[in-house]
Amino acid sequence: MFHSYDLAFQNELNKLHDDLADNLQILPSLSKQISSKALKFLLELACQCQSSRNIQLGRDGLKSIPRSWLLSNIDREAQLLLNMDDEWEYRRLAEIYFELDLDMAKNLAQLGLESKNEEVVEAAEDLVDWITEFGEANE
């Protein structure tokens, strides 16, 4: 059974390109304008929404995109779209980066540590702890 969030997810992506919701791996072959809009939409869901279903849809969508293309494009789009001084958005992006690429997570942690928002600094410290714990667990 589809949830209304699932239908909205499909409709929004399929407005950009036919069957894109079911075929996000083609994103790198689409125009820069379409791929940018799709990536921004997925980041909005994953980082700005409050609903756990929307967050999961955004994250799953991001994971469906070819990794090398995603790693080359996500940071630019995230910096343009997200408010890095907002704890919620920062934490959601930190969770994504931690799963995607530790170097990107480290860069985000450094950015957060320099924030004027104490909550973002705390989130960045949490991210540093995750990275450290992950490194120790994999030694």
Side-chain angles (χ1 to χ4, degrees):
M1 182 175 121
F2 275 119
H3 192 283
S4 62
Y5 292 142
D6 296 59
L7 293 174
F9 173 83
Q10 287 188 332
N11 289 337
E12 190 66 31
L13 287 172
N14 291 342
K15 278 194 286 186
L16 296 173
H17 188 273
D18 290 341
D19 297 319
L20 182 58
D22 294 323
N23 198 15
L24 282 164
Q25 57 272 19
I26 68 166
L27 204 58
S29 67
L30 301 178
S31 74
K32 184 173 172 93
Q33 181 181 14
I34 290 173
S35 61
S36 176
K37 283 182 181 180
L39 186 52
K40 284 178 185 172
F41 173 68
L42 295 172
L43 282 165
E44 285 173 5
L45 291 177
C47 300
Q48 293 179 326
C49 289
Q50 301 291 316
S51 158
S52 62
R53 182 64 189 147
N54 271 334
I55 292 168
Q56 194 60 53
L57 285 167
R59 289 179 181 188
D60 289 347
L62 291 168
K63 291 177 187 174
S64 298
I65 298 170
R67 183 178 173 81
S68 62
W69 185 89
L70 182 61
L71 291 177
S72 295
N73 291 278
I74 192 171
D75 197 51
R76 178 185 67 249
E77 297 295 347
Q79 296 299 327
L80 291 171
L81 175 70
L82 302 175
N83 178 357
M84 291 299 121
D85 281 324
D86 179 278
E87 180 205 6
W88 180 267
E89 293 183 23
Y90 180 90
R91 280 192 185 274
R92 301 298 76 81
L93 187 62
E95 293 161 354
I96 292 166
Y97 280 13
F98 182 75
E99 286 188 36
L100 278 179
D101 184 84
L102 286 182
D103 286 333
M104 288 177 67
K106 289 174 185 175
N107 290 339
L108 185 63
Q110 186 57 47
L111 179 70
L113 291 171
E114 297 168 1
S115 176
K116 291 178 175 39
N117 182 336
E118 290 180 28
E119 292 174 329
V120 172
V121 172
E122 182 179 317
E125 290 169 348
D126 290 345
L127 180 54
V128 169
D129 290 345
W130 299 343
I131 294 166
T132 302
E133 290 172 17
F134 181 79
E136 291 171 358
N138 288 309
E139 286 180 353

